[in-house]
C-alpha cells in the first residue's frame, strides 16, 4: 500500500473512532484539556494563541475562549495557505461556514499578530510528535515557519507509537490530551 493510501486509511479509522464518542464524553474530555492548558505557564504567559473551532469532534476549546481575555487567532484556508485572523474582543463575530462545514473567520476580520503558542488539532499523533491531520497539508506548510511552539490537541485514544512519516511532516513540540500536557512526548505513557 502506498504511504498516501496508508495515511488515508489511518485517518478514516481515527476519525470514525472519534465521531463515535458520545457527546457527554467529548464535553468532559474537552473540559479536561482546557483545564490543563489554562494552568500551563506557557499558555498563561502567551499573548497570541492560535487556536481552531472544533470540527468533527475535535476537542472543544470553547471554555478557554470564553474564560481567557487572550488574543486568539483562527485559521482561514486561502488557497494552499492558512491565514490567521483575530476575533476582535468585546464583539462576538459570526464565523463563516466553509466548504468542508468548518467554521472560519471572515476574510474581512483583522489579521492576527505573531503567535506565542500554536494549538494544533490532531486526527492522530505519535510519540515522536508526528501528526496526522485531515490531509490538506495546511499545518505542515504553516509549521515550517516555526513561529512558536506547536502543541497538538487531541484525545488519548489518538496517540499511537508510530505513524507513517513523509518528508514534509513537521513534528510537534508537545501534545495536550485529557490526561495532561506532554512537552517531550517520550514521557507520554499510554492511557488506553
Ligand atoms: N478545526 C480545524 N480547523 C482547521 C483545520 C483543522 O484540522 N481543524 N485545518 C487543518 O488543516 C485547516 C482545514 N483543513 C481541512 C482539510 C481537509 C478537509 C476535508 O474534509 N477534506 C476532505 C477531502 C480530503 C482529501 O482530499 O482526501 C475530506 O476529508 O472529506 C477539511 C479541513 C484549517 N482549519
Ligand atoms: N511544506 C510543504 N510544501 C508543499 N506541499 C506540502 C508541504 N507540506 C505538505 N504538503 C502537501 O500537503 C499534503 C499533506 O498530506 P498529509 O497527508 O501529510 O496531510 P496532513 O498532515 O494529514 O494534513 P494537515 O496538515 O492539513 O492537517 C501532501 O500532499 C503534501 O505534498
Amino acid at each position: 500500500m502506498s504511504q498516501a493510501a496508508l495515511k488515508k486509511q489511518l485517518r478514516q479509522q481515527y476519525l470514525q473512532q472519534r465521531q463515535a464518542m458520545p457527546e457527554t464524553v467529548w464535553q468532559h474530555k474537552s473540559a479536561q484539556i482546557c483545564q490543563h492548558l489554562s494552568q500551563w505557564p506557557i499558555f498563561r504567559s502567551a499573548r497570541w494563541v492560535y487556536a481552531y473551532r472544533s470540527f468533527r469532534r475535535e476537542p472543544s476549546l470553547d471554555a478557554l475562549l470564553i474564560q481567557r481575555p487572550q488574543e486568539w487567532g483562527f485559521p482561514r484556508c486561502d488557497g494552499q495557505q492558512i491565514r490567521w485572523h483575530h476575533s476582535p474582543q468585546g464583539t462576538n463575530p459570526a464565523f463563516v461556514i466553509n466548504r468542508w462545514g468548518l467554521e472560519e473567520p471572515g476574510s474581512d476580520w483583522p489579521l492576527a499578530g505573531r503567535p506565542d503558542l500554536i494549538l494544533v488539532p490532531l486526527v492522530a499523533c505519535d510519540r515522536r510528535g508526528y501528526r496526522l491531520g485531515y490531509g490538506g497539508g495546511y499545518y505542515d506548510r504553516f509549521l515550517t515557519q516555526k513561529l512558536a511552539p506547536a502543541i497538538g490537541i487531541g484525545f488519548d485514544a489518538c496517540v499511537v507509537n508510530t505513524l507513517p512519516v513523509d518528508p514534509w511532516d513537521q513534528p510537534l513540540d508537545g501534545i495536550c490530551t485529557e490526561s495532561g500536557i506532554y512537552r517531550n512526548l517520550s514521557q507520554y505513557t499510554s492511557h488506553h
Side-chain angles (χ1 to χ4, degrees):
M1 195 190 293
S2 74
Q3 176 102 327
L6 177 59
K7 276 191 165 181
K8 194 170 173 166
Q9 196 184 64
L10 288 167
R11 185 174 292 125
Q12 276 171 359
Q13 178 191 324
Y14 284 100
L15 284 174
Q16 258 171 29
Q17 180 185 322
R18 192 173 71 191
Q19 305 263 59
M21 183 186 286
E23 178 157 12
T24 49
V25 175
W26 169 76
Q27 281 170 345
H28 180 67
K29 291 182 175 178
S30 294
Q32 287 178 304
I33 287 172
C34 290
Q35 183 71 14
H36 295 312
L37 287 169
S38 69
Q39 290 170 353
W40 189 35
I42 293 187
F43 174 82
R44 295 175 77 97
S45 64
R47 181 161 122 83
W48 282 95
V49 178
Y50 284 11
Y52 61 86
R53 296 289 298 172
S54 170
F55 175 60
R56 296 182 179 156
R57 285 260 192 283
E58 286 166 342
S60 169
L61 299 173
D62 284 0
L64 289 176
L65 303 178
I66 294 163
Q67 181 189 95
R68 179 87 162 81
Q70 205 145 13
E71 309 285 7
W72 295 99
F74 291 97
R76 188 172 67 81
C77 296
D78 180 17
Q80 300 271 296
Q81 303 296 324
I82 296 180
R83 279 193 183 278
W84 294 90
H85 293 264
H86 181 37
S87 87
Q89 267 171 28
T91 60
N92 189 14
F95 285 86
V96 178
I97 310 287
N98 78 5
R99 63 191 157 115
W100 296 301
L102 213 154
E103 287 177 289
E104 289 191 333
S107 56
D108 57 335
W109 294 21
L111 290 177
R114 204 185 151 90
D116 301 303
L117 181 65
I118 303 165
L119 307 180
V120 183
L122 303 173
V123 171
C125 163
D126 76 13
R127 282 155 210 280
R128 299 167 297 176
Y130 286 107
R131 82 181 257 285
L132 193 64
Y134 291 125
Y138 287 100
Y139 277 95
D140 287 326
R141 280 185 293 269
F142 171 66
L143 294 176
T144 57
Q145 296 178 53
K146 306 224 176 291
L147 296 176
I151 303 298
I153 308 292
F155 299 117
D156 284 337
C158 80
V159 185
V160 294
N161 277 328
T162 44
L163 285 172
V165 177
D166 286 309
W168 57 78
D169 283 323
Q170 299 293 316
L172 300 165
D173 301 300
I175 50 167
C176 178
T177 71
E178 69 271 29
S179 64
I181 291 178
Y182 307 88
R183 273 314 287 277
N184 175 349
L185 298 190
S186 63
Q187 297 164 359
Y188 185 89
T189 48
S190 184
H191 289 269
H192 56 93

